Amino acid sequence: MGRDKALLPWRDGTFLSAALRVLQSATELVIVVAGANAPNLEPIADANAAFLVVNRDPQQGQFSSLLVGLQDVLNRGRDAAIVTLVDRPPAEVKTIEQLRAAFLLGDEQTWAVVPDYGGKHGHPIVIGREMIEAFLRAPVNSSAREVEHANQAHIRYVPVNDRLVAANVDTPEDFERLLTGTAS
C-alpha cells in the first residue's frame, strides 16, 4: 500500500479512529496494539479513550501483535475480547452488536464467533477466555488462522449483512474500490 493502512481516510477520520468509535459502543475498553507506528497512532488512541500498547517485536508479524493485545486483555482482568484489524475498514455498529450478542448467547463450547459474509469469514471476531488461551499457547510463528482451524469445533460462524467484515485493502486499487463501493 505504501503507507500505514490504519491511517487511511475513512468516513470522518481514519480506519483506526472509525474502528475505535465502533468498538467503544460495544465494549468496556479498547486496546490498540502498535509497533513502530506508535507515535502516529497514539494521538488517535488517546482522542478516542483507547489504551495503546506497543509490540516491542513487530517484525515477528501480525500474530505477535495479536498476542501482545490478548495478554493486555488478560492483564486488565477481562476474559473476552472483540478483535479486529486496523488495516481495513471497521464493521458496522449493528454487526458488532450482532456478533457480541451471538457470543453472549453461546454455550461453553463456543470459544469464538466469526462473521460470515457471502461465504467469506472476516473481522471482527469475538473470542472468549478459551480461545484467548489457545492463541497465547500457540508458537509465535503461528497465524491466527492456524489457531482458529485447530479449534474449529469451538467457532460459531454468524451470517451478517455487512460487506465490510470481509473487505481487504492491500493495494491503492483495493482502497479505491472500497471507496467507490465496488469492492467485493
Side-chain angles (χ1 to χ4, degrees):
M1 193 65 200
R3 58 196 269 201
D4 191 335
K5 291 191 274 184
L7 301 176
L8 287 173
W10 184 251
R11 301 199 172 144
D12 293 330
T14 62
F15 279 178
L16 175 59
S17 64
L20 295 175
R21 286 192 303 272
V22 169
L23 290 170
Q24 290 288 6
S25 71
T27 63
E28 296 174 6
L29 65 92
V30 178
I31 300 166
V32 176
V33 180
N37 61 349
N40 297 329
L41 302 187
E42 188 170 27
I44 298 169
D46 289 347
N48 288 279
F51 295 93
L52 185 98
V53 295
V54 176
N55 179 355
R56 302 276 178 219
D57 203 8
Q59 64 276 10
Q60 291 274 350
Q62 190 177 59
F63 190 69
S64 69
S65 290
L66 174 64
L67 299 180
V68 167
L70 292 178
Q71 188 59 61
D72 200 59
V73 166
L74 296 181
N75 292 348
R76 292 176 188 276
R78 304 314 194 273
D79 61 2
I82 300 173
V83 178
T84 195
L85 304 172
V86 295
D87 64 351
R88 58 182 63 206
E92 301 294 339
V93 171
K94 66 183 178 187
T95 302
I96 292 178
E97 291 169 353
Q98 178 185 357
L99 296 170
R100 184 176 182 267
F103 179 79
L104 292 173
L105 290 173
D107 59 23
E108 65 276 350
Q109 294 302 310
T110 303
W111 295 2
V113 170
V114 174
D116 180 299
Y117 177 75
K120 292 181 180 179
H121 301 151
H123 288 87
I125 64 172
V126 183
I127 60 175
R129 180 66 176 239
E130 297 86 352
M131 188 61 88
I132 291 172
E133 293 291 346
F135 282 125
L136 291 173
R137 282 191 306 271
V140 73
N141 63 346
S142 299
S143 72
R145 183 169 302 194
E146 290 168 354
V147 176
E148 288 174 16
H149 286 180
N151 294 284
Q152 197 74 39
H154 299 289
I155 296 175
R156 178 172 170 214
Y157 295 95
V158 175
V160 299
N161 189 22
D162 183 351
R163 70 182 179 91
L164 296 177
V165 301
N168 207 355
V169 178
D170 291 321
T171 67
E173 294 79 19
D174 291 340
F175 185 55
E176 184 61 33
R177 282 191 293 277
L178 178 69
L179 292 176
T180 61
T182 58
S184 56

